[in-house]
Amino acid sequence: GLNCFLVYWEVADGFGVTMLGALGNIAGDSANCRNLIIQEQGIQKICKVVRENMNLSSVLTNGVWTLSNLCRGSPLPSFN
């Protein structure tokens, strides 16, 4: 499931950047999917990928955008 997707993700050959964009789109389109990403520790995993690849501007840009999508929407997400 989603957890498998997040655990094995690496920034290789642009795939990680594409995944960041996909997660951002999913989080922005559906509160239920956004909540699932948050529940599966997606924020922590996205932050780890961004921290490990800060030298790549596309990772930083897409990572920040994805995180912003995880923090918005109605109803607002619960970070508990």
Side-chain angles (χ1 to χ4, degrees):
L2 179 63
N3 196 34
C4 238
F5 181 72
L6 292 170
V7 167
Y8 295 108
W9 153 20
E10 295 180 21
V11 177
D13 302 323
F15 182 67
V17 175
T18 302
M19 285 181 48
L20 282 172
L23 285 174
N25 285 331
I26 292 166
D29 288 345
S30 166
N32 289 333
C33 290
R34 175 205 64 201
N35 293 341
L36 179 61
I37 294 168
I38 292 168
Q39 180 183 0
E40 294 294 331
Q41 308 302 311
I43 291 175
Q44 293 85 340
K45 292 169 185 168
I46 291 165
C47 287
K48 180 178 185 281
V49 168
V50 170
R51 269 193 314 272
E52 291 173 353
N53 298 280
M54 287 190 72
N55 59 322
L56 301 172
S57 64
S58 58
V59 172
L60 187 58
T61 300
N62 283 315
V64 169
W65 176 77
T66 298
L67 290 171
S68 73
N69 276 354
L70 289 167
C71 296
R72 67 180 186 88
S74 182
L76 289 174
S78 172
F79 295 107
N80 295 331

